[in-house]
C-alpha cells in the first residue's frame, strides 16, 4: 500500500513537471510513465530469476528496456522541441530574461 | 616491478596530471571569483558530461556498489545504475531554470539560488545542510582511498594523506576550471578501465549467461527482488534507495556548478541526457563485479566485502594489469572529492561568510579564503575516517538521502508560486533532524532504507521525505506568499 501511495505521488509530480517543461502531449505522458517505471519498476513481481534477455533475470531486462526507451524518447523530444522553440543561444535568452526582469513583464521566454 | 610499485606509479601519475590541470587553468585565465567557481562557461557538452559523471561515480560506483551487489545481489542496481536515466530527466527538468536564471540573477553558489527565492535565512541554511549531506559522502571517498591503497599493498594512511594532499592542491590552484580539466582525464581513463573490466568478465565466463547460471545454482536470491526473509530488495527498499539517490543527485552541488558554467542550451541537454548511460556503464559493471566476486570469493562479510572489487580484478587480470586498473579507480575518488571540496567552499564563502560576516570581501579575497576552506574541509574529512565503521555504500546513500530532502524547496521555488520562505525553512528544520533520528535510531547503518514496522512500513528516509513534503506544503499555505518582485524574477521564464 505504502509504495503505491508514493508511486502515485511520484507519478503525478513527474507528470506535472514534464507537462510544464515538455508540453502537454502523448509523448510527454509516455515520458512521465516510463520515467517512473525507470525510477522503480512497479509493474511486475520479482520473485523469480528466470533468464530472459542475454541470460539476465527478466525483471532486469524489462527494466533496462524501459530505460533505453525513456532515453530515446527524451532525446527525440528535447532536441525536436528546441527546433520548434527557436533559439538555443543562451546569451540571447539571458538578454531577454534580463530585459523582462527590468521591465517586469513582456514577452514569454521559452 | 611489484604490483604495489606499479599502482603507486600510476597513482602518482594521475596526481601529477591533475595538478598540471590546475596549473594550466590558472595560467589560462586569472582567477576572478566567478571564474574560479564557474570557469566562465568555457566547457562544451562532452567535457561537462564527463565532468559530472566522474564527480558522481566516485568510489561508490566501484567499490561500494560491487560490495552491495556482492551482499544483496542485482537489486543493488536500483540504487543508481538503473535509475540513472530518470536522474538525467530530473536534472534537465529542475536545472533548466538554474541555467536560464543563473547569469541574469548573478548566482554562483547554491545558497544564492535558494536565497533569491526564499530570503537570507534560507541562503544561510542551505550551505549548512549541504555540509551535513556531503560530509558522509566525502568520508566514504577518503575511507575508500585507504582501502584501495591497502589492497594494493600500499600504506592505508600514507595513501590517504598523499592523494588528499594532491587533490586539495589541484582544486585549490585551478578551481572549477582546473578540476574540470582533471575530470576529463579522470573520466576518460575510468571509462577505459570499465570497458576493459566488462570485457574481462565476458571473456572469463564466455558471456553473461554462464555467470547468471552459476549464481542461480549457488544463491538465486542474488538475482531476485523480494526473495529472502526479510528480503534484501523489495518495493519499499528500492523506492527508498532510488529516490534517495535520484533526488539527492539533483540537489547536490555538482549539478548546480555545472549548470552555472553552461553557456549553451544544447550543451545542457546533452550533458543531462548523457549522464544516464555513463552512470549505467559504471554501475552495471560494478554490480556484475559483485556477482563475479560472489562466485569466486564467497563468504566475505561486513567491511571485508568492500574489498571485493579489488579481489575480482586480481582474479580476472594478470597482476600488474589489475594494479593499473585499480589505480585508475583512484581518479573517480579524486574527482568526487574535488567537486565536494570546491562546492562546499563555494557555498560557505558566497552564502555565509561574504553576505553575513564580511560583505566588503574583494574577488581576490574570495578566492584566497575559498582555498583556505578547501584545505580545512580536507582535514575534517581525513579526521572523520580515523576509525572506519560503516561500509562505503551505506555512508554514501545516507549523504544523498540528506541532500534529497532539499528537493521540495528547490522544485517548489522554481515551479510553485505559493511556495514560501517559512515553508522551505520549516521543511528543512523538521526533515533533516527527522532523517537523522529515524535512520540512526531505527536502522543504522545496514537497514536504514528498509521498511520499519514502527513507521507503518515506511523506511526512515521515506518517512522523513514525506514529512518534509507535508511540512513544506502546509506551512507554505499557512503563510503569506513571496513578494511579487521575487515571483516575477522566478517566473519570468517557463
Amino acid at each position: 500500500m505504502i509504495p503505491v501511495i508514493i508511486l502515485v505521488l511520484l507519478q503525478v509530480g513527474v507528470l506535472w513537471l514534464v507537462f510544464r517543461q515538455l508540453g502537454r502531449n502523448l509523448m510527454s505522458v509516455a515520458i512521465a510513465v516510463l520515467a517512473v517505471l525507470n525510477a522503480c519498476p512497479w509493474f511486475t513481481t520479482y520473485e523469480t530469476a528466470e533468464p530472459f534477455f542475454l541470460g539476465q533475470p527478466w525483471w532486469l531486462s524489462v527494466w533496462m528496456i524501459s530505460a533505453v526507451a525513456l532515453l530515446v524518447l527524451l532525446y527525440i523530444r528535447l532536441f525536436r522541441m528546441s527546433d520548434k522553440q527557436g533559439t538555443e543561444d543562451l546569451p540571447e535568452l539571458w538578454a531577454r530574461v534580463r530585459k523582462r526582469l527590468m521591465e517586469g513583464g513582456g514577452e514569454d521566454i521559452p | 616491478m611489484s604490483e604495489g610499485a606499479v599502482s603507486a606509479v600510476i597513482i602518482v601519475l594521475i596526481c601529477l596530471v591533475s595538478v598540471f590541470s590546475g596549473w594550466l587553468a590558472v595560467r589560462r585565465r586569472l582567477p576572478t571569483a566567478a571564474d574560479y567557481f564557474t570557469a566562465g562557461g568555457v566547457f562544451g557538452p562532452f567535457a561537462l558530461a564527463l565532468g559530472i559523471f566522474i564527480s558522481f561515480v566516485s568510489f561508490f560506483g566501484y567499490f561500494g556498489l560491487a560490495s552491495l551487489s556482492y551482499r544483496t545481489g542485482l537489486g543493488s542496481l536500483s540504487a543508481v545504475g538503473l535509475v540513472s536515466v530518470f536522474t538525467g530527466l530530473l536534472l534537465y527538468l529542475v536545472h533548466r531554470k538554474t541555467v536560464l536564471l543563473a547569469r541574469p540573477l548573478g548566482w554562483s553558489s547554491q545558497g544564492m539560488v535558494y536565497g533569491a527565492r526564499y530570503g537570507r535565512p534560507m541562503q544561510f541554511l542551505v550551505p549548512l545542510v549541504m555540509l551535513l549531506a556531503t560530509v558522509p559522502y566525502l568520508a566514504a571517498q577518503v575511507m575508500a582511498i585507504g582501502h584501495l591503497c591497502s589492497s594494493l599493498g600500499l600504506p592505508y594512511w600514507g595513501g590517504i594523506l598523499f592523494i588528499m594532499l594532491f587533490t586539495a592542491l589541484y582544486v585549490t590552484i585551478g578551481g572549477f576550471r582546473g578540476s574540470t580539466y582533471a575530470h576529463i582525464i579522470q573520466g576518460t581513463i575510468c571509462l577505459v578501465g570499465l570497458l576493459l573490466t566488462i570485457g574481462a568478465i565476458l571473456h572469463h565466463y564466455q558471456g553473461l549467461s554462464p555467470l547468471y547460471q552459476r549464481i542461480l545454482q549457488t544463491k538465486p536470491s542474488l538475482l531476485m527482488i523480494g526473495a529472502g526473509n526479510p528480503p534484501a530488495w523489495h518495493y519499499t527498499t528500492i523506492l527508498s534507495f532510488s529516490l534517495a539517490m535520484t533526488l539527492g543527485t539533483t540537489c547536490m552541488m555538482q549539478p548546480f556548478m555545472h549548470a552555472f558554467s553552461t553557456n549553451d542550451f544544447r550543451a545542457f541537454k546533452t550533458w543531462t541526457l548523457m549522464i544516464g548511460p555513463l552512470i549505467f556503464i559504471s554501475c552495471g559493471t560494478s554490480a556484475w563485479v559483485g556477482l563475479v566476486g560472489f562466485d569466486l570469493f564467497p563468504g566475505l562479510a561486513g567491511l571485508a566485502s568492500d574489498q571485493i572489487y579489488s579481489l575480482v580484478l586480481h582474479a580476472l587480470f594478470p597482476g600488474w594489469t589489475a594494479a593499473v586498473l585499480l589505480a585508475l579507480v583512484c581518479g573517480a575518488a579524486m574527482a568526487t572529492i574535488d567537486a565536494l571540496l570546491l562546492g562546499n567552499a563555494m557555498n560557505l564563502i558566497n552564502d555565509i561568510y561574504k553576505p553575513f560576516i564580511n560583505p566588503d570581501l574583494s574577488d581576490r579575497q574570495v578566492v584566497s579564503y575559498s582555498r583556505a576552506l578547501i584545505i580545512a574541509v580536507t582535514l575534517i574529512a581525513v579526521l572523520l575516517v580515523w576509525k572506519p565503521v560503516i561500509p562505503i555504500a551505506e555512508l554514501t546513500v545516507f549523504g544523498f538521502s540528506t541532500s534529497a530532502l532539499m528537493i521540495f524547496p528547490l522544485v517548489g521555488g522554481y515551479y510553485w508560486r505559493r511556495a514560501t520562505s517559512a515553508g522551505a525553512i520549516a521543511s528543512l528544520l523538521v526533515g533533516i533532524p527527522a532523517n537523522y533520528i529515524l535512520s540512526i535510531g531505527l536502522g543504522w547503518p545496514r537497514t536504514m532504507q528498509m521498511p520499519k514496522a514502527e513507521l507503518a512500513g515506511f523506511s526512515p528516509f521515506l518517512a522523513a521525505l514525506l514529512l518534509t513534503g507535508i511540512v513544506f506544503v502546509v506551512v507554505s499555505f499557512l503563510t503569506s506568499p513571496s513578494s511579487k518582485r521575487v515571483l516575477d524574477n522566478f517566473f519570468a521564464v517557463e
Side-chain angles (χ1 to χ4, degrees):
Chain A
M1 189 61 190
I2 286 159
V4 174
I5 294 169
I6 293 178
L7 281 167
V8 169
L9 289 174
L10 184 65
Q11 183 70 73
V12 170
V14 171
L15 194 64
W16 175 68
L17 264 180
V18 170
F19 271 7
R20 284 190 75 127
Q21 300 282 310
L22 306 181
R24 296 183 187 192
N25 50 50
L26 265 181
M27 194 182 259
S28 291
V29 175
I31 286 172
V33 171
L34 277 173
V36 177
L37 284 183
N38 184 237
C40 181
W42 44 287
F43 54 90
T44 183
T45 55
Y46 306 98
E47 291 181 42
T48 170
E50 284 301 308
F52 179 68
F53 177 64
L54 294 175
Q56 297 184 113
W58 74 279
W59 59 267
L60 184 61
S61 308
V62 174
W63 205 345
M64 286 172 76
I65 290 165
S66 80
V68 172
L70 173 62
L71 194 63
V72 171
L73 281 186
L74 276 176
Y75 269 106
I76 293 170
R77 184 73 193 115
L78 290 189
F79 286 98
R80 228 185 81 198
M81 186 178 74
S82 63
D83 296 336
K84 285 183 181 171
Q85 288 190 341
T87 184
E88 287 285 288
D89 181 10
L90 263 180
E92 188 192 322
L93 276 174
W94 287 330
R96 288 162 66 183
V97 173
R98 280 195 192 97
K99 188 176 167 207
R100 174 160 177 150
L101 292 179
M102 282 188 291
E103 290 170 355
E107 61 183 323
D108 283 338
I109 311 293
Chain B
M1 195 187 271
S2 71
E3 281 179 39
V6 171
S7 305
V9 168
I10 299 293
I11 290 173
V12 169
L13 277 177
I14 293 175
C15 289
L16 289 176
V17 168
S18 302
V19 171
F20 177 72
S21 306
W23 174 78
L24 203 63
V26 176
R27 202 167 158 266
R28 286 206 162 186
R29 188 163 169 170
L30 284 172
T32 62
D35 189 52
Y36 189 74
F37 294 119
T38 68
V42 294
F43 293 109
F46 295 102
L48 291 171
L50 266 180
I52 197 158
F53 154 69
I54 200 68
S55 69
F56 269 121
V57 163
S58 69
F59 262 121
F60 174 67
Y62 289 87
F63 284 34
L65 203 61
S67 161
L68 200 61
S69 168
Y70 176 89
R71 288 179 277 131
T72 63
L74 278 182
S76 59
L77 274 175
S78 63
V80 269
L82 281 169
V83 295
S84 53
V85 180
F86 178 67
T87 306
L89 172 65
L90 266 186
L91 286 176
Y92 174 79
L93 294 174
V94 174
H95 287 290
R96 183 175 183 273
K97 230 169 186 177
T98 312
V99 171
L100 284 170
L101 290 176
R103 296 291 171 87
L105 293 177
W107 295 336
S108 58
S109 65
Q110 260 178 295
M112 285 181 176
V113 178
Y114 292 85
R117 178 70 172 84
Y118 298 118
R120 283 194 149 203
M122 193 65 179
Q123 185 176 2
F124 183 84
L125 192 57
V126 165
L128 299 179
V129 173
M130 286 319 298
L131 203 58
L132 281 179
T134 52
V135 161
Y137 188 22
L138 196 54
Q141 307 310 309
V142 179
M143 199 168 91
I145 285 176
H147 285 324
L148 175 69
C149 291
S150 299
S151 71
L152 294 170
L154 304 171
Y156 181 92
W157 278 108
I160 285 180
L161 293 175
F162 182 82
I163 292 171
M164 290 302 286
L165 177 74
F166 272 88
T167 308
L169 189 62
Y170 78 76
V171 73
T172 302
I173 297 172
F176 186 77
R177 185 190 290 247
S179 75
T180 304
Y181 286 152
H183 289 177
I184 295 168
I185 298 161
Q186 292 157 348
T188 307
I189 57 177
C190 283
L191 274 177
V192 171
L194 286 167
L195 294 176
L196 285 173
T197 307
I198 295 173
I201 292 173
L202 294 176
H203 177 72
H204 184 81
Y205 286 94
Q206 298 298 305
L208 278 178
S209 292
L211 168 64
Y212 289 128
Q213 287 301 323
R214 288 176 71 92
I215 301 293
L216 208 53
Q217 285 160 12
T218 51
K219 195 176 178 184
S221 62
L222 290 181
L223 303 183
M224 298 176 191
I225 291 178
N229 189 22
W233 297 98
H234 48 68
Y235 282 121
T236 309
T237 318
I238 289 174
L239 260 178
S240 198
F241 257 97
S242 59
L243 284 183
M245 296 307 283
T246 53
L247 302 181
T249 299
T250 308
C251 299
M252 273 281 177
M253 43 196 51
Q254 292 97 318
F256 283 92
M257 292 159 81
H258 284 74
F260 294 153
S261 66
T262 298
N263 224 355
D264 173 87
F265 218 72
R266 289 186 85 84
F268 172 61
K269 290 175 180 177
T270 307
W271 71 253
T272 51
L273 292 185
M274 272 179 73
I275 192 170
L278 287 174
I279 288 185
F280 180 75
I281 291 172
S282 153
C283 296
T285 308
S286 298
W288 286 320
V289 165
L291 290 186
V292 173
F294 186 82
D295 183 40
L296 301 179
F297 306 99
L300 300 180
L303 285 171
S305 63
D306 277 351
Q307 301 278 359
I308 200 66
Y309 198 93
S310 147
L311 291 172
V312 168
L313 284 197
H314 276 101
L316 294 181
F317 291 96
W320 68 270
T321 317
V324 169
L325 288 174
L326 278 170
L328 294 183
V329 176
C330 192
M334 290 172 76
T336 303
I337 291 169
D338 78 48
L340 298 178
L341 291 176
L342 187 65
N344 274 313
M346 170 184 87
N347 288 342
L348 291 171
I349 204 82
N350 287 320
D351 297 328
I352 294 183
Y353 189 77
K354 191 171 180 188
F356 292 98
I357 298 169
N358 188 357
D360 299 324
L361 215 57
S362 70
D363 252 19
R364 188 170 286 277
Q365 282 174 312
V366 167
V367 174
S368 305
Y369 290 12
S370 300
R371 287 172 168 158
L373 273 171
I374 288 170
I375 292 164
V377 178
T378 305
L379 291 174
I380 291 170
V382 172
L383 288 175
L384 276 173
V385 296
W386 198 257
K387 195 177 177 189
V389 286
I390 303 165
I392 297 164
E394 280 78 355
L395 209 50
T396 304
V397 175
F398 186 68
F400 275 81
S401 69
T402 307
S403 165
L405 298 175
M406 297 180 68
I407 193 73
F408 295 105
L410 179 61
V411 175
Y414 277 157
Y415 297 108
W416 189 39
R417 284 176 178 270
R418 200 61 189 75
T420 67
S421 173
I425 292 169
S427 71
L428 292 183
L429 292 182
V430 171
I432 302 289
N435 189 40
Y436 267 82
I437 291 166
L438 296 177
S439 295
I440 293 172
L442 296 177
W444 183 260
R446 294 276 176 196
T447 62
M448 62 185 171
Q449 302 295 340
M450 290 189 177
K452 304 287 173 198
E454 302 92 321
L455 299 172
F458 282 88
S459 70
F461 165 67
L462 283 181
L465 184 70
L466 203 63
L467 188 64
T468 308
I470 291 169
V471 169
F472 177 68
V473 172
V474 170
V475 176
S476 288
F477 272 125
L478 291 176
T479 47
S480 303
S482 304
S483 71
K484 185 178 178 303
R485 186 186 56 79
V486 169
L487 293 179
D488 281 349
N489 282 351
F490 272 77
F491 291 88
V493 287
E494 280 299 334

